[in-house]
Amino acid sequence: MTDQSLIILGASGDLTARLLLPGLGALLAAGHVPGLQLIGAATEDWDDARWQTRVSESFGFPYEKTRYLRADVTHTDDLRAVLAAADGPPAIFFALPPAVTARACEALLDADLPDGTRLVLEKPFGVSSETAAQLNNLLTRLVPEDRIHRVDHFLGKSTVLNILGLRFANRIFEPLLNSTHVASVDIVFDEDLALENRAGYYDRAGALADMIQSHLLQILGLLAMEPPTSLDAGELRDRLADVLRATHIWEDNPAAFSRRARYTAGSLRSRHLPGYAEEPGVDPSRNTETLAEVVLAVDTWRWAGVPFRLRSGKAIGDSRKEAVVTFRCPPRVPDGLTGHDQPDRLRIGFGPDKLALDFNINGPDDPFELDQVTLEAGFGPGDLPPYGEVLRGVFDNDPTLSIRADVAEQCWRIVEPVTAAWAAGKVPLLEYPAGSPGITDSLLTP
Ligand code: NDP
């Protein structure tokens, strides 16, 4: 499709420079959206030449069909001027602080958006189910829901398809993925990155809101959803919403089934890191957690009784990013065979996406002694970086990767009891040294 235009509000910001422009460059280089008109806007006093240089450097090739407009996006008149510069109905990317995004949406109410306008929003979508609902109401006064793209760049299209392909295009896994055969599911995103100068955002979010409420619940949805009949966006998003509606904190007891911690000073890959509370821009009295863990119940026929443990930590020595399905033990192993104390596990690793299956076979030496072995395979990588995939979905009017309004609200509803229990001091804020494995003394187990 030609004659598309993209307006980036917040063109001088970090997201635009680090992720958005490189993703867009990759999309254009792959031959998508030929002739795209790109408009950048922010309050910074830049001119077209400075912006063009930034765009061309990010893309890795010169790009001239772009201009920069100085605008305060909370003012309707400024927004009108930006919209007037677009050739056709634009996609508007809000690369803005969340509070500014909400004010820009209010200002757009009077800006006469052209039919066909698409809105692209970054997480966080609100800070609670109530604020998410307010934002959603505002957005649907601007454009229909199917033209709203709530971006979750963590789940690239290839990761979504990899999980669906594994589950639903094989006879040998899916029949086992239920409470009869599965003992527990862990979804872990422990990263070796620390705060990396993002205190302004992170200190108000923390691991629960930054990772579990958004990204890890999306993975839970894909792993636990019922089979969709097609990859149609409406169908997939319905199945995702079904399973998230059935999800809640284990026994509705966040004091027992959630955990929080923050890192203290330590050393990570021979780099000394200050404790989180000493990082510039952090207000230690906020008690922001850099590691969060929750146990969830998915109350469906398929999954009732199976704990889903979700965990994410920063500044962890051994970064580990995977979903692990742990199977129940076999009902009876013949007397005489030994070494079968480890359960079978299906592990899906993220970035790069890979698959591993741990199971017990008769080992190389004593044939009575079983050994756990691992079969491994790589999933196909996507052909675009995550933001390239996100933008392709926007330009193709394909909302598959976008978080639907009700799903955004459900994800807040699931974690809200935890936030409330933490605020009420019912769960202690533990500590772990940066570079350590985090909190490992005991698993949160029902
Ligand atoms: P920054 O603070 O780096 O950038 C914000 C941008 O908004 C700047 O270009 C600023 O421009 C502009 N801006 C602020 N107020 C106005 C205004 N009234 N009118 C016009 N422009 C305005 O934030 P980030 O880029 O880091 O984040 C943007 C969004 O992306 C946030 O929602 C964040 O949560 C999300 N996000 C960011 C990630 C990242 O890695 N950075 C990752 C995932 C999500 P100026 O100073 O010129 O006014």
Side-chain angles (χ1 to χ4, degrees):
M1 225 173 139
T2 49
D3 292 323
Q4 300 240 30
S5 58
L6 174 67
I7 295 174
I8 301 178
L9 304 180
S12 58
D14 179 67
L15 177 81
T16 302
R18 274 197 322 115
L19 296 170
L20 193 47
L21 289 179
L24 182 60
L27 188 69
L28 290 165
H32 295 276
V33 275
L36 174 78
Q37 182 202 22
L38 176 63
I39 297 171
T43 55
E44 206 74 50
D45 189 13
W46 288 6
D47 58 12
D48 285 345
R50 176 163 179 185
W51 168 244
Q52 257 179 29
T53 305
R54 169 166 281 209
V55 170
S56 300
E57 280 174 6
S58 277
F59 285 5
F61 53 86
Y63 201 74
E64 279 162 13
K65 206 171 172 194
T66 185
R67 55 181 299 204
Y68 179 83
L69 292 172
R70 199 175 169 193
D72 181 337
V73 301
T74 61
H75 291 172
T76 303
D77 288 344
D78 285 15
L79 286 167
R80 279 213 182 95
V82 174
L83 288 166
D87 289 339
I92 304 177
F93 202 118
F94 296 84
L96 301 164
V100 181
T101 296
R103 289 177 61 203
C105 289
E106 273 161 26
L108 279 172
L109 285 171
D110 297 321
D112 305 319
L113 282 178
D115 284 347
T117 297
R118 283 142 294 165
L119 306 180
V120 193
L121 286 99
E122 268 299 329
K123 69 160 211 182
F125 316 115
V127 291
S128 62
S129 52
E130 191 186 347
T131 50
Q134 283 164 0
L135 182 60
N136 286 332
N137 285 340
L138 176 58
L139 293 171
T140 42
R141 287 167 66 198
L142 294 170
V143 301
E145 173 64 30
D146 63 1
R147 296 197 178 272
I148 302 169
H149 294 256
R150 295 174 194 78
V151 171
D152 183 343
H153 75 278
F154 184 80
L155 281 192
K157 191 155 194 166
S158 49
T159 299
V160 173
L161 296 178
N162 288 342
I163 295 177
L164 295 177
L166 172 74
R167 284 193 59 196
F168 301 123
N170 294 291
R171 190 73 190 224
I172 59 172
F173 298 117
E174 193 52 28
L176 300 180
L177 294 181
N178 54 55
S179 61
T180 309
H181 300 291
V182 173
S184 62
V185 178
D186 289 82
I187 301 173
V188 180
F189 197 88
D190 281 349
E191 52 184 354
D192 51 13
L193 290 178
L195 188 58
E196 319 293 332
N197 299 323
R198 295 200 62 217
Y201 159 71
Y202 194 84
D203 201 37
R204 284 162 200 279
L208 182 71
D210 184 48
M211 291 302 303
I212 293 183
Q213 180 273 339
S214 50
H215 308 316
L216 301 195
L217 280 176
Q218 297 302 308
I219 293 177
L220 177 148
L222 289 166
L223 283 173
M225 67 163 61
E226 291 304 313
T229 50
S230 76
L231 294 183
D232 172 73
E235 170 74 13
L236 272 184
R237 300 203 300 172
D238 281 349
R239 297 293 77 79
L240 194 67
D242 288 345
V243 79
L244 289 172
R245 271 200 307 277
T247 301
H248 58 95
I249 294 292
W250 194 265
E251 291 177 357
D252 291 320
N253 185 350
F257 293 110
S258 73
R259 188 145 66 170
R260 58 176 174 154
R262 70 180 171 191
Y263 64 82
T264 53
S267 137
L268 186 57
R269 281 192 271 109
S270 58
R271 190 161 65 112
H272 174 76
L273 287 176
Y276 177 79
E278 283 84 59
E279 292 267 20
V282 165
D283 174 358
S285 69
R286 280 187 193 282
N287 285 337
T288 301
E289 79 288 356
T290 58
L291 182 150
E293 188 173 325
V294 298
V295 184
L296 299 173
V298 179
D299 267 339
T300 60
W301 180 286
R302 181 193 283 268
W303 291 114
V306 178
F308 282 70
R309 209 163 21 233
L310 273 52
R311 156 177 160 142
S312 181
K314 269 194 183 299
I316 302 290
D318 255 338
S319 89
R320 181 177 160 224
K321 301 169 182 174
E322 61 177 2
V324 183
V325 178
T326 302
F327 292 95
R328 295 187 189 283
C329 291
R332 176 83 172 85
V333 178
D335 294 341
L337 285 176
T338 58
H340 47 79
D341 44 348
Q342 290 293 321
D344 300 340
R345 287 195 193 87
L346 177 65
R347 293 188 278 124
I348 300 169
F350 302 110
D353 292 3
K354 56 186 182 191
L355 176 76
L357 184 62
D358 304 333
F359 60 103
N360 300 312
I361 60 166
N362 303 67
D365 301 322
D366 180 356
F368 294 98
E369 170 85 25
L370 296 166
D371 291 311
Q372 189 153 65
V373 294
T374 302
L375 276 183
E376 286 183 303
F379 287 107
D383 53 350
L384 289 170
Y387 269 84
E389 289 183 333
V390 163
L391 290 167
R392 180 166 60 186
V394 173
F395 294 125
D396 290 350
N397 284 324
D398 171 8
T400 309
L401 286 188
S402 153
I403 311 296
R404 204 168 63 187
D406 56 330
V407 169
E409 292 169 32
Q410 284 300 325
C411 289
W412 284 116
R413 194 263 311 148
I414 292 167
V415 300
E416 268 166 4
V418 178
T419 319
W422 291 3
K426 292 183 183 165
V427 179
L429 180 64
L430 306 175
E431 293 188 329
Y432 61 98
S436 74
I439 306 292
T440 51
D441 46 348
S442 65
L443 289 173
L444 277 178
T445 308

